[in-house]
Amino acid sequence: MIDLTWKIGGEAGYGIMSSGLIFAKAALRSGYFIYDLNEYPSLIRGGHNTYTVRISDGEIYSQVKPVNLLVALNQNAIDFHKDELSQGAALIVNTDKVDQEKIKISKGVNLFPVPLIKLAKEVDGKEIMMNTVAIGASMALLKGDFEVLTEVIKDFFKGKEKIEELNIKAAKLGFDFIKNNFNKIEFSFSLPKKNRDNGMLLTGNDAIALGAVKAGLKFFACYPMTPINSLLAYFAKQGPELKIVYIQPEDEISGINMAIGASFAGARSMVATSGGGFSLMTEAFGLAGITETPLVIIEGQRPGPATGLPTWGAQGDLRFVLHAAQDDFPRIVLAPGDPEECFWLTIEAFNLAEIYQAPAVILTDKHLGESHQSVADFEDSKAKIDRGFMLSKDDQLKEYKRYQFTENGISPRGIPGRKGFTFRANSDEHNEYGFSNEEAEVRKNQVEKRMRKMETLAKKIPNPNIYGPDKAEFTLIGWGSAKGPILEAQKALETENVKTNFLHLTYMNPFPSQFVADFLKGKKNVLMVEQNSTAQCAGLIRERTGITIKNHLLKYDGRPFFPEEIAEKVKELWK
Amino acid sequence: MEIDKFKTEEKVTWCQGCGNFGIWVALRQAFLELGWGPEDVLLVYGIGCHGHMINYLNNYGFDALHGRGLPLAQGAKLANKNLNVIVIAGDGDQFGEGGNHFIHAARRNLDITCIIHDNQIYGLTVGQTSPTSEKGFVTKSTPHGAPDQPVNPISLSLASEASFVARGFSGDVKHLTKLFVDGLKHKGFSVIDVLQPCVTLNHLNTFQYFFQRVYKLDEAGHNHNDKISAFTKSFEWGDKIPIGLFYKEERPILEELLPQLKPEEKSLVDQDIYNIEIKSLFEEFK
Ligand SMILES: Cc1ncc(C[n+]2csc(CCOP(=O)(O)OP(=O)(O)O)c2C)c(N)n1
């Protein structure tokens, strides 16, 4: 079985992110499963960047700790990561930046000194392409197929022929340097090309973008903020082709209000931001609630409060999103765990937002939003579009009550400009016609009507997934992006004969209270795994089921969970 | 009367003699003159006494958040470019909470109209100072006189690149109607700041005050195609207060600059979303 982790580290500003992605794609196209992880500080230049690619011939769900092949572009990369190297690992050292004599690494690590800058300069006189040289060298060490790498580079720089050509040259120099200078390569990992189609390499953001397109997104307003920037770049670029309007608003307040306006007018609309931007959006979040305007909000979490750790990950906004804005109103909160779920839950969010005429939030985070995973092509023909109780222009109406009291709480939704009737949406409390009204009875009825929509939906949500046997010694619970590391931890524990099952939550509101209560009943060894400091989801479970989960594995340093940490915690608790 | 088709049955709660009445009448008159029906117009309202008009006009309406009418209106217009979209704002609403949105809406230049009910005071919250209150003005929040220099809606509009900038007076409905008609016809972002006396709370800037001071720019020979003259006129406020069109320019609207909204394209809201093909999008991720 092949399971290899490759890592490149160096100074920000040297294109580490693109080279990492090129390498990951080359591995994908060689027929492997991929999971990658990039880390970068909130700086353009100078900080330390890394890109880690895990490659396997079996399914994988997250990064793991040991690094088997490290490319060190500078001394820092060795100092920071040498302890991550596995027994038998290889280290490609940039001899133009690192003094070979001074390298202290443990026995069992094989050193491959390569003059990356000298080789890069042979191509175009500059050092910038040393990354590409390093990718070529890595491919050679892994006995990979250089043709595949060439094809990836070509596609990556499509339309920029000169750059494409230079990069292929640089990769070839790196590749040949290894072939020509090390006749006996002491490194047991290899990536022979396999005849398997492993689909696409997607981040959570990519999958959300594809889901939104499929769902019929027409209007997207998004103010830049890590970790959702790749979403706005996608729609800024593809918008004209896809007939989707992307606007960069002056701020997030404007963005969400624009999206509410577009949705009121009848277009499927979305905004995306992180916790800071969502803070600015909260008043309008409530506006969508009281005016019953559908809206999809992507909230990519990062550690806070305020600016926090801008380029790192967290799951600290669950409570915030569940409670944001004054008073009660229906809101849908979904937390996908991987790109596949990002795609399907985005489509679901658009449908639910329109069926229940309410805002729907998708909680992601830096880790899910920006890490790539290999995903089989989506069977998107299975997607259904449901726009809910929407009046058509052919409906003949004598009178129209936009906020009609109904049993399930859902009132007929009109679209302005379709002749036959006018109506109004009102942020003031209103009567069934939408006229401002402060009578106690009207107010009470409207609140109840709105909240009935949530009750209606609560009865229809799917059960959460349980991974592993129904009955197991130990139970793990996680939500959103903790999914991958927990699945990997289960695999690791299984090899040690420790049997676990794992409850993964994606519907945070409405919450599958009864299911969770039934599932947890009588279970003694339960561990909640989440990325915040107060176990927000454990608190939510207690609130909704009355069940207290005593054991928590919490992480709030901005770094994602590693499966090893989870497995260790299980053993520490119960072995 | 034909104008009544734009009216609802709701009880009007503005104070007797409120400057909002003149705007309400002029707007309906303008719709008539433009040949529009109730269903041709979406009005987006801010929060304040002005915003109560949502209950009195029989058009499509959206009562938005305090200061946030403009973004909401822009979203609606982008989604349905065939809709005539008007923002009804207050001076506090637009230049306090909504100041940033105003600047950016102006430079973005969508084909929408922003009407500001400028009574130089906070009406609905019963009498605090507003961004357009005159310096030294005594209100509940400025018992010792407002210390700040007021915002100048006209020069701010000009500096923000609004393509149609006018001032009206709700005491002159005929003139105001003409401004509304011109502003609504204008292709681009039109601002009409309307002097709208608050008879209950503002005892300085009264109808009388304005009747004595206002004069019409077109009658005074002002060239509304010249931005420098428009700026010069915008600073005039004292014994003489100009009303009418300060500035107008033709420049491409945002709708024309976005290929997906070109005239030959359907509005976003009219596009089929049931059968969207995405397989071709998978390629770039392989
Ligand atoms: C976010 C927010 N802050 C404050 C208020 C309270 N508020 C309502 S109207 C208003 C000011 C009204 O003044 P103006 O915009 O000039 O409108 P007018 O009532 O004079 O028409 C204020 C402060 C609010 N509704 N929302």
Side-chain angles (χ1 to χ4, degrees):
Chain A
M1 187 194 157
I2 293 171
D3 190 348
L4 156 91
T5 293
W6 171 91
K7 184 169 192 162
I8 185 168
E11 194 184 327
Y14 279 88
I16 287 176
M17 296 305 150
S18 13
S19 0
L21 184 54
I22 289 173
F23 184 74
K25 280 199 173 183
L28 178 86
R29 288 200 202 171
S30 299
Y32 293 87
F33 294 91
I34 309 293
Y35 192 94
D36 80 17
L37 176 71
N38 57 63
E39 293 185 331
Y40 56 98
S42 188
L43 294 169
I44 303 298
R45 269 184 191 278
H48 184 67
N49 280 9
T50 69
Y51 199 113
T52 310
V53 185
R54 184 178 171 204
I55 304 163
S56 175
D57 53 3
E59 279 208 57
I60 48 175
Y61 313 106
S62 84
Q63 67 289 334
V64 288
K65 274 191 171 165
V67 173
N68 311 111
L69 172 50
L70 175 65
V71 178
L73 296 179
N74 59 16
Q75 185 63 45
N76 272 349
I78 299 175
D79 296 345
F80 294 160
H81 308 301
K82 64 175 190 298
D83 295 339
E84 297 164 18
L85 292 170
S86 69
Q87 189 67 23
L91 173 59
I92 296 179
V93 176
N94 179 9
T95 48
D96 296 326
K97 277 268 167 90
V98 177
D99 185 354
Q100 262 191 87
E101 308 297 302
K102 289 194 189 138
I103 302 174
K104 288 197 201 76
I105 41 167
S106 49
K107 269 210 209 111
V109 172
N110 307 298
L111 203 60
F112 295 89
V114 184
L116 294 176
I117 294 179
K118 187 175 148 275
L119 292 172
K121 282 188 172 165
E122 275 177 32
V123 181
D124 71 339
K126 302 190 196 101
E127 56 183 63
I128 185 87
M129 258 183 308
M130 65 172 152
N131 296 294
T132 314
V133 178
I135 296 174
S138 303
M139 255 338 220
L141 267 188
L142 290 164
K143 302 172 233 16
D145 187 334
F146 189 76
E147 266 315 297
V148 177
L149 182 57
T150 313
E151 289 305 310
V152 173
I153 292 175
K154 274 188 188 160
D155 288 345
F156 200 85
F157 297 105
K158 209 182 243 150
K160 300 173 201 156
E161 254 165 60
K162 185 81 194 152
I163 299 178
E164 176 192 311
E165 193 187 306
L166 293 177
N167 273 282
I168 291 172
K169 251 191 209 160
K172 186 82 173 100
L173 283 178
F175 192 84
D176 289 345
F177 187 89
I178 295 287
K179 292 260 150 168
N180 299 336
N181 290 279
F182 304 94
N183 32 23
K184 192 170 161 283
I185 294 175
E186 303 237 8
F187 186 48
S188 60
F189 290 92
S190 63
L191 288 183
K193 188 166 183 313
K194 305 210 169 201
N195 240 343
R196 190 193 308 127
D197 176 9
N198 274 330
M200 301 176 278
L201 194 60
L202 291 184
T203 63
N205 285 348
D206 297 333
I208 287 172
L210 291 172
V213 174
K214 182 70 197 177
L217 171 71
K218 286 290 136 197
F219 182 83
F220 180 48
C222 179
Y223 189 87
M225 190 166 191
T226 306
I228 49 72
N229 290 336
S230 64
L231 264 173
L232 76 83
Y234 186 80
F235 288 108
K237 183 157 171 242
Q238 305 275 17
E241 190 67 28
L242 298 170
K243 311 231 181 294
I244 294 169
V245 168
Y246 162 66
I247 291 281
Q248 179 172 328
E250 57 274 21
D251 55 34
E252 289 86 350
I253 302 179
S254 179
I256 187 169
N257 282 286
M258 281 183 180
I260 290 172
S263 175
F264 170 75
R268 283 196 159 186
S269 304
M270 178 169 95
V271 294
T273 186
S274 187
F278 188 66
S279 298
L280 294 182
M281 291 184 180
T282 50
E283 191 191 18
F285 187 45
L287 177 68
I290 194 168
T291 59
E292 308 198 35
T293 310
L295 178 66
V296 173
I297 300 167
I298 310 299
E299 213 269 47
Q301 300 164 97
R302 65 190 219 189
T307 312
L309 288 176
T311 58
W312 300 87
Q315 294 185 296
D317 297 353
L318 174 62
R319 280 293 186 181
F320 174 40
V321 164
L322 288 174
H323 302 290
Q326 64 270 33
D327 214 329
D328 298 320
F329 58 90
R331 67 187 79 199
I332 296 148
V333 181
L334 307 174
D338 53 32
E340 178 89 23
E341 289 180 356
C342 282
F343 177 79
W344 292 105
L345 284 178
T346 298
I347 298 172
E348 183 79 348
F350 276 98
N351 287 336
L352 295 178
E354 284 204 315
I355 296 169
Y356 296 94
Q357 300 175 23
V361 183
I362 297 178
L363 271 171
T364 66
D365 52 73
K366 148 74 174 77
H367 188 49
L368 173 58
E370 294 193 347
S371 301
H372 296 84
Q373 191 172 350
S374 46
V375 185
D377 286 9
F378 299 123
E379 289 182 52
D380 66 292
S381 53
K382 288 193 179 143
K384 289 202 174 56
I385 305 292
D386 186 343
R387 305 204 67 178
F389 189 4
M390 208 156 154
L391 297 174
S392 92
K393 55 178 161 229
D394 304 324
D395 284 321
Q396 299 288 326
L397 298 180
K398 271 225 196 64
E399 67 162 10
Y400 172 42
K401 293 179 173 173
R402 169 65 189 97
Y403 300 106
Q404 191 178 355
F405 299 131
T406 57
E407 214 164 294
N408 62 10
I410 300 168
S411 316
R413 178 169 161 233
I415 295 300
R418 302 197 172 165
K419 307 276 150 127
F421 47 85
T422 62
F423 62 92
R424 52 201 49 68
N426 201 333
S427 91
D428 276 295
E429 192 54 276
H430 39 260
N431 63 18
E432 288 181 275
Y433 297 94
F435 289 119
S436 310
N437 191 300
E438 300 191 350
E439 287 164 38
E441 190 66 14
V442 170
R443 159 69 184 173
K444 182 171 171 286
N445 286 339
Q446 282 295 350
V447 170
E448 287 168 4
K449 176 200 103 71
R450 287 193 290 268
M451 295 314 284
R452 270 203 301 282
K453 297 191 290 185
M454 260 346 231
E455 291 159 26
T456 307
L457 172 56
K459 290 184 206 125
K460 295 186 179 169
I461 62 170
N463 288 334
N465 283 327
I466 292 169
Y467 300 89
D470 244 10
K471 289 205 167 33
E473 266 174 289
F474 309 109
T475 293
L476 298 157
I477 307 182
W479 62 280
S481 72
K483 179 181 177 183
I486 297 178
L487 287 176
E488 290 284 349
Q490 282 188 289
K491 267 204 281 182
L493 287 165
E494 175 82 40
T495 61
E496 298 178 45
N497 248 333
V498 181
K499 296 258 181 285
T500 59
N501 55 21
F502 161 38
L503 170 68
H504 181 241
L505 297 164
T506 56
Y507 272 72
M508 311 313 286
N509 202 51
F511 192 77
S513 310
Q514 193 58 50
F515 182 92
V516 173
D518 293 346
F519 175 74
L520 289 179
K521 205 159 146 206
K523 289 201 165 52
K524 288 206 183 63
N525 303 326
V526 182
L527 175 65
M528 181 81 220
V529 181
E530 57 181 314
Q531 241 186 313
N532 56 62
S533 68
T534 55
Q536 295 184 15
C537 185
L540 182 67
I541 291 173
R542 182 169 176 185
E543 175 190 319
R544 299 297 166 91
T545 66
I547 296 170
T548 305
I549 298 164
K550 284 196 219 77
N551 303 302
H552 304 155
L553 176 60
L554 306 176
K555 196 170 180 182
Y556 34 86
D557 59 3
R559 278 69 182 167
F561 279 113
F562 281 83
E564 292 90 342
E565 297 167 329
I566 301 169
E568 213 162 284
K569 180 78 180 178
V570 169
K571 287 187 277 179
E572 174 198 311
L573 279 171
W574 295 307
K575 285 276 131 170
Chain B
M1 273 205 294
E2 222 202 328
I3 195 172
D4 286 344
K5 70 178 172 196
F6 298 106
K7 222 177 85 177
T8 66
E9 306 283 300
E10 295 292 294
K11 183 168 177 282
V12 180
T13 56
W14 289 321
C15 305
Q16 208 172 20
C18 174
N20 283 330
F21 282 99
I23 300 177
W24 187 38
V25 174
L27 247 185
R28 286 178 287 152
Q29 196 62 46
F31 294 162
L32 262 194
E33 283 182 30
L34 288 162
W36 292 354
E39 293 142 8
D40 294 317
V41 189
L42 166 65
L43 289 121
V44 178
Y45 305 84
I47 299 299
C49 295
H50 61 277
H52 287 175
M53 202 158 68
I54 188 169
N55 300 307
Y56 318 141
L57 279 176
N58 182 30
N59 301 86
Y60 294 111
F62 199 122
D63 189 28
L65 293 170
H66 189 36
R68 318 294 174 198
L70 270 176
L72 202 140
Q74 292 171 82
K77 181 72 183 180
L78 288 164
N80 185 351
K81 58 185 174 162
N82 301 320
L83 217 64
N84 297 300
V85 179
I86 301 171
V87 173
I88 298 295
D91 44 299
D93 185 70
Q94 197 58 78
F95 299 121
E97 293 275 19
N100 195 31
H101 306 317
F102 183 80
I103 294 169
H104 295 279
R107 70 188 185 91
R108 220 172 260 132
N109 201 37
L110 270 89
D111 187 12
I112 60 178
T113 298
C114 178
I115 296 172
I116 299 148
H117 295 221
D118 189 354
N119 53 12
Q120 302 172 263
I121 190 136
Y122 281 20
L124 194 61
T125 43
V126 207
Q128 299 82 11
T129 191
S130 142
T132 58
S133 293
E134 292 188 23
K135 193 167 177 173
F137 189 52
V138 173
T139 68
K140 280 191 189 137
S141 62
T142 52
H144 311 296
D148 305 335
Q149 204 62 31
V151 163
N152 182 330
I154 304 299
S155 41
L156 179 64
S157 301
L158 292 167
S160 308
E161 306 290 344
S163 56
F164 180 106
V165 182
R167 177 189 285 139
F169 172 40
S170 74
D172 187 344
V173 171
K174 201 165 154 233
H175 180 255
L176 189 59
T177 303
K178 170 87 172 56
L179 280 185
F180 285 167
V181 169
D182 292 348
L184 290 166
K185 272 196 202 153
H186 172 72
K187 209 168 91 178
F189 185 73
S190 47
V191 185
I192 302 153
D193 186 56
V194 186
L195 306 171
Q196 173 251 315
C198 172
V199 294
T200 304
L201 300 163
N202 187 338
H203 301 297
L204 172 67
N205 311 99
T206 60
F207 276 105
Q208 211 44 41
Y209 176 93
F210 289 118
F211 277 130
Q212 283 163 8
R213 289 172 172 78
V214 297
Y215 74 94
K216 292 180 181 136
L217 280 169
D218 53 342
E219 290 171 7
H222 169 65
N223 175 6
H224 62 243
N225 296 317
D226 179 18
K227 201 158 185 176
I228 302 294
S229 317
F231 264 113
T232 308
K233 281 288 171 197
S234 76
F235 299 121
E236 215 174 283
W237 183 278
D239 292 344
K240 294 227 156 292
I241 298 174
I243 59 171
L245 181 58
F246 285 76
Y247 182 67
K248 180 178 151 89
E249 84 180 25
E250 302 292 338
R251 74 164 196 270
I253 53 174
L254 181 64
E255 297 91 308
E256 290 168 349
L257 296 172
L258 298 174
Q260 53 276 59
L261 295 182
K262 285 257 146 70
E264 61 273 20
E265 299 286 353
K266 280 187 188 164
S267 262
L268 300 182
V269 296
D270 292 325
Q271 289 175 23
D272 173 29
I273 63 162
Y274 288 91
N275 302 294
I276 292 175
E277 209 289 306
I278 60 164
K279 286 260 178 326
S280 60
L281 301 177
F282 295 169
E283 282 317 303
E284 76 167 289
F285 299 106
K286 301 216 164 202

